[in-house]
Amino acid sequence: MKFFADTADLAEIRDLAETGLLDGVTTNPSLIAKSGGKFLDVIAAIAKLIDGPISAEVTATEAKAMIEEGLKLSDIARNVAIKVPLTWDGLKACKALTARGIMVNVTLCFSANQALLAAKAGATFISPFVGRLDDIGQTGMDLIREIRTIYDNYGFATEILVASIRHPIHVKEAALIGADIATVPPAVLKTLAQHVLTDKGLAQFLADWKKTGQSIL
Ligand code: G3P
C-alpha cells in the first residue's frame, strides 16, 4: 500500500520525505488555507520535494471552468494530480482531463455508486472520506470494502485512495481490504511506527549491551 501525506505543510512534508516512505501528497482547499501559503506556490514547492503524485484541487464548480483550472494546475509540475469533487460536473471534468493524459483524483466520495461513476469517468484515484462517514455514525471502512469489490469485479484501474483517515486502525483496515493508497495526516503517520513494547524492548537490549562494555565501532 502506498502512503500519501494529507497536508500542505511544507515542513511536515520535508520531514516525512526524509524517511523515504512517502509516495505522494494530497491537499485540498482547507489544507491550503491552513498552510497560509499561496496555492500555486505551495503546490510548486511540494512538487519539488516529492516525486510522487501531488493532488491540487480545483475550486470551480462548472465543468468548463474546472477543466481550465485543472489545465493551469497541471502546468505547475508533471506530478500534479487534479482533484475534482464527485459531482456530475466533476465527472465531466475528470473525463476531459484524463483524456489529455492528466492524473485526476476524484474526491469527496461517500458512496459505492459515486466511486463506480468515477472509475467509469477514468479517474486515476478515488478518494472516499472514511472519517466523515464515521462522524455520522456509519462505518467508513465498509465503503472501502464495497469499492474494492466493485473495482475488482470489473478490472477498473482507478486506485482507491483512502482519505479522511483519523487513526491507525483506518490505516490497518485499509491495508487489510487491499486499498491502493492511504493518505494520512502527518500526526497519524508518525504514530504508525510506535509501540510501547518496542520502546521497552529496545531499552532492555541497550541496558544489557551496556553491561558488556563493548562497542561495535
Ligand atoms: O484528503 C481529505 C482529508 O483532508 C479530509 O479529512 O479529517 O477533514 O475529513 P477530514
Side-chain angles (χ1 to χ4, degrees), residues 5-217:
D6 193 35
T7 181
D9 182 311
L10 292 174
E12 291 272 30
I13 294 168
R14 198 174 289 113
D15 185 36
L16 289 166
E18 284 169 7
T19 66
L21 298 175
L22 201 52
D23 300 301
V25 170
T26 53
T27 72
N28 60 43
S30 302
L31 292 172
I32 292 294
K34 187 178 175 186
S35 77
K38 290 181 71 64
F39 183 22
L40 302 189
D41 295 344
V42 170
I43 298 300
I46 296 172
K48 288 192 174 82
L49 291 173
I50 300 290
D51 291 334
I54 313 294
S55 286
E57 189 161 341
V58 300
T59 56
T61 55
E62 304 299 320
K64 184 173 180 297
M66 284 175 169
I67 294 163
E68 286 169 17
E69 288 184 358
L71 292 171
K72 179 170 184 178
L73 291 171
S74 67
D75 279 345
I76 294 171
R78 57 159 189 75
N79 56 329
V80 170
I82 305 307
K83 250 189 181 182
V84 296
L86 214 154
T87 61
W88 282 114
D89 280 275
L91 293 170
K92 282 163 65 178
C94 175
K95 200 130 180 80
L97 290 168
T98 51
R100 288 169 170 83
I102 294 168
M103 291 186 286
V104 175
N105 178 356
V106 179
T107 190
L108 287 168
C109 172
F110 295 97
S111 78
N113 284 333
Q114 284 183 318
L116 177 54
L117 289 172
K120 285 185 66 61
T124 314
F125 310 106
I126 182 69
S127 289
F129 279 30
V130 297
R132 295 193 188 184
L133 286 167
D134 290 357
D135 290 345
I136 62 168
Q138 296 184 20
T139 305
M141 294 315 290
D142 285 347
L143 174 57
I144 306 303
R145 268 183 276 276
E146 290 174 346
I147 297 170
R148 180 73 284 159
T149 300
I150 292 169
Y151 282 16
D152 292 350
N153 287 348
Y154 298 97
F156 285 124
T158 302
E159 292 190 77
I160 302 171
L161 196 169
V162 182
S164 186
I165 283 180
R166 302 282 171 75
H167 49 67
I169 305 297
H170 279 152
V171 176
K172 182 180 78 170
E173 289 192 10
L176 285 169
I177 292 167
D180 301 284
I181 306 160
T183 191
V184 190
V188 176
L189 258 176
K190 289 171 185 170
T191 68
L192 297 181
Q194 293 163 0
H195 196 292
V196 62
L197 292 180
T198 304
D199 297 342
K200 188 178 175 187
L202 181 58
Q204 188 56 59
F205 285 162
L206 296 178
D208 292 342
W209 174 251
K210 190 174 181 183
K211 291 172 190 165
T212 72
Q214 299 178 56
S215 66
I216 294 172
L217 297 177

